[in-house]
Amino acid sequence: MRHFSTLSGALILALGTVAVQAQTPRDLPLVQATPSKIVHLSASALAQVQQDWLVMTLSVQKEGTDAMAVQTQIKNHLASALALARPSAQAGALEVSTGQMSVSPRYGRDGKANGWTGVAELVLQGRDIERITGVAGRVQGMTVGQVQWAISPELKRQTENRIQEDAVAQFQSRAAALTRSFGSSGYDLKEVRVSSQESTGEPQMRMVAMQVEALPPAMPVPAQAGSSRVVVNVSGSIQLK
C-alpha cells in the first residue's frame, strides 16, 4: 500500500506539472498599450523668381529617297551650326550641345515606305540671353523648334535656402497650434521631410518658330523670360505629450 501511495503521488505531481505547462500566453490577460497621439502636418513657403536660364533648340529636317544622302545633309548642316556656335560658347553663359539626330523611314498614304526623313538638333542654353539669341539668329539652314525658360541651378538653390527657414517656421507654428488645440502640454518631433519643386510656364514653341522664319538673316531670335515659382515643402509628424 505504501508503494501504491507513492506511485499515486507521483502521478498527481506529474499531472499537475502538465496542467501548469498547458497555460500558454494566450490564457494570460492582455495588456492594452496606451494609444500614441500622432499628428501629421505639413507647411510650405514659395517665392516668384525671374527666369534666368534659356534653352533654345534649333533643328533641321531633310527628306529624300536615299538614307545615306539624307544623313549626310543633316550632318553637314549640324557641323556648320556647331562651327558657328562654338566660338561664342562659355560655361554658364552659352553652352553648346547636340540634340537628337536620326534618320527614319517616310511612309506614304498607302502605308508603304517611300523615302527617308532625317532630323538633327543643336541645343543652345545658358544665362547670356543676348549671346544665345544672337547665335541662333546667325545659324543658317536651321529653325527654332523649341524655347524653354527655367531658373539656373544656382539661383534655385539660393532661393530654396532663403525660403526654407520660412517653411520650417510655419511647420513649427502649426505644430504648436495643433498641440494647444488638442489640449496637450507639448510635442516631440517624430519625423520630418523637406522637399522642393519648381513650376514654370509652357514653352513658347510655335510662336517663336514662326517669328524666326519671318526674320531676315543674322537677326537675334526674340525671347522674353517669365517667372518661375519655387516651393519648399516641410512635412512630418509630431507626438503630443
Side-chain angles (χ1 to χ4, degrees):
M1 292 296 293
R2 185 174 301 174
H3 177 72
F4 178 78
S5 299
T6 303
L7 181 59
S8 299
L11 290 174
I12 293 173
L13 178 61
L15 291 174
T17 303
V18 173
V20 171
Q21 292 177 348
Q23 290 184 353
T24 64
R26 297 179 183 176
D27 303 318
L28 299 177
L30 297 177
V31 178
Q32 296 293 336
T34 303
S36 57
K37 300 178 181 178
I38 302 295
V39 178
H40 302 274
L41 66 152
S42 63
S44 62
L46 62 89
Q48 290 288 134
V49 183
Q50 183 73 19
Q51 295 166 336
D52 67 335
W53 190 265
L54 174 61
V55 182
M56 188 169 289
T57 303
L58 311 181
S59 63
V60 59
Q61 179 175 318
K62 295 295 181 180
E63 296 184 355
T65 56
D66 186 352
M68 291 301 298
V70 171
Q71 179 174 283
T72 300
Q73 291 181 57
I74 62 173
K75 285 175 60 177
N76 290 340
H77 277 284
L78 185 58
S80 298
L82 283 171
L84 186 148
R86 278 172 178 163
S88 300
Q90 182 180 353
L94 169 57
E95 300 179 0
V96 180
S97 60
T98 56
Q100 71 159 334
M101 186 174 70
S102 62
V103 177
S104 56
R106 181 189 62 191
Y107 296 93
R109 295 182 178 180
D110 56 0
K112 297 181 180 180
N114 59 10
W116 300 88
T117 299
V119 178
E121 292 180 341
L122 175 70
V123 181
L124 310 175
Q125 60 181 317
R127 296 191 194 87
D128 194 333
I129 311 306
E130 293 184 1
R131 187 181 305 199
I132 295 172
T133 56
V135 170
R138 295 196 303 272
V139 173
Q140 300 296 312
M142 302 187 80
T143 59
V144 177
Q146 187 174 16
V147 175
Q148 291 180 312
W149 285 95
I151 60 176
S152 61
E154 295 79 9
L155 180 57
K156 183 180 180 181
R157 183 166 55 251
Q158 294 172 6
T159 305
E160 289 172 350
N161 292 338
R162 176 168 55 86
I163 65 176
Q164 180 174 283
E165 294 184 2
D166 294 338
V168 172
Q170 290 187 35
F171 181 91
Q172 294 173 334
S173 177
R174 287 201 63 192
L178 287 169
T179 300
R180 292 190 299 268
S181 298
F182 283 106
S184 299
S185 60
Y187 69 88
D188 292 325
L189 183 62
K190 300 296 292 182
E191 63 174 358
V192 64
R193 295 180 296 273
V194 179
S195 61
S196 63
Q197 61 187 35
E198 175 190 353
S199 176
T200 59
E202 293 294 327
Q204 303 173 3
M205 292 181 289
R206 296 181 179 177
M207 180 180 66
V208 174
M210 290 188 293
Q211 290 173 343
V212 172
E213 292 172 0
L215 290 174
M219 281 193 65
V221 176
Q224 178 62 49
S227 62
S228 291
R229 174 180 293 182
V230 179
V231 181
V232 173
N233 300 304
V234 179
S235 60
S237 59
I238 59 175
Q239 184 170 21
L240 303 181
K241 296 181 180 180

